[in-house]
């Protein structure tokens, strides 16, 4: 029989990254009084693990260099992440002095989560201009 508590604890020891999850919500502009849909953070600084699924493709043209690759996010199963949510993930590591940043934050769009009892895996798509 699997001890899911121990299994989850082992997985979460690899969570050295931090994620902020954004979802579109109606926001009223204080100046124009117009209501717009804007990304609003609803989960901040959540421990997670980012894993690169495939090497990035370089789509260089004369006008721009598109960066496009897919990664996978491992995160606690109780985090409510929906397909289409936007995530900002910061790579980090633990040292004797605590958590420290090792790479700047990157932005992703979430695919459909795949749930397990101990964690969830979410395919992330990154597309930004370099």
């Amino acid at each position: 029989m699997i001890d899911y508590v121990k299994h989850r604890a082992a997985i979460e020891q690899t969570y050295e990254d931090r994620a902020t999850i954004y979802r579109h919500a109606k926001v009223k502009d204080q100046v124009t009084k117009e209501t717009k849909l804007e990304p609003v953070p609803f989960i901040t600084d959540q421990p997670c693990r980012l894993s690169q699924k495939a090497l990035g493709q370089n789509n260089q043209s004369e006008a721009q260099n598109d960066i496009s690759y897919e990664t996978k996010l491992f995160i606690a199963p109780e985090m409510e992440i929906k397909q289409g949510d936007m995530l900002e993930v910061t790579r980090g590591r633990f040292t004797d002095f605590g958590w420290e940043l090792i790479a700047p934050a990157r932005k992703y769009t979430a695919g459909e989560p795949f749930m397990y009892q101990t964690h969830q895996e979410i395919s992330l798509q990154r597309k930004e201009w370099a």
Side-chain angles (χ1 to χ4, degrees):
M1 183 171 216
I2 297 174
D3 183 340
Y4 289 108
V5 173
K6 286 183 182 178
H7 188 72
R8 180 174 176 169
I11 290 171
E12 289 182 350
Q13 285 182 345
T14 68
Y15 290 1
E16 294 186 318
D17 305 321
R18 298 289 178 264
T20 297
I21 295 95
Y22 296 82
R23 188 167 292 153
H24 280 98
K26 292 180 181 179
V27 176
K28 189 171 187 174
D29 187 297
Q30 298 301 320
V31 176
T32 65
K33 306 298 181 198
E34 182 181 5
T35 300
K36 303 180 200 178
L37 279 178
E38 292 185 8
V40 175
F42 74 98
I43 297 173
T44 58
D45 203 31
Q46 178 64 37
C48 61
R49 178 66 175 200
L50 195 62
S51 176
Q52 189 167 325
K53 186 174 179 182
L55 293 176
Q57 297 176 350
N58 183 3
N59 296 318
Q60 179 72 45
S61 70
E62 286 186 28
Q64 67 193 33
N65 181 22
D66 289 335
I67 298 171
S68 177
Y69 63 88
E70 193 173 342
T71 58
K72 190 180 287 189
L73 183 77
F74 297 82
I75 197 164
E78 61 273 4
M79 296 297 107
E80 183 191 345
I81 300 173
K82 297 180 179 179
Q83 184 171 347
D85 282 348
M86 293 160 291
L87 291 88
E88 187 173 50
V89 182
T90 305
R91 302 297 319 264
R93 67 177 169 210
F94 288 103
T95 68
D96 292 339
F97 306 105
W99 187 83
E100 73 177 15
L101 176 77
I102 62 170
R106 289 190 172 163
K107 295 179 181 178
Y108 302 90
T109 301
E112 183 178 8
F114 192 86
M115 300 297 291
Y116 294 93
Q117 288 185 346
T118 55
H119 67 286
Q120 59 181 308
E121 295 179 16
I122 303 164
S123 177
L124 300 178
Q125 186 69 39
R126 177 178 179 244
K127 288 188 178 181
E128 294 187 76
W129 289 357

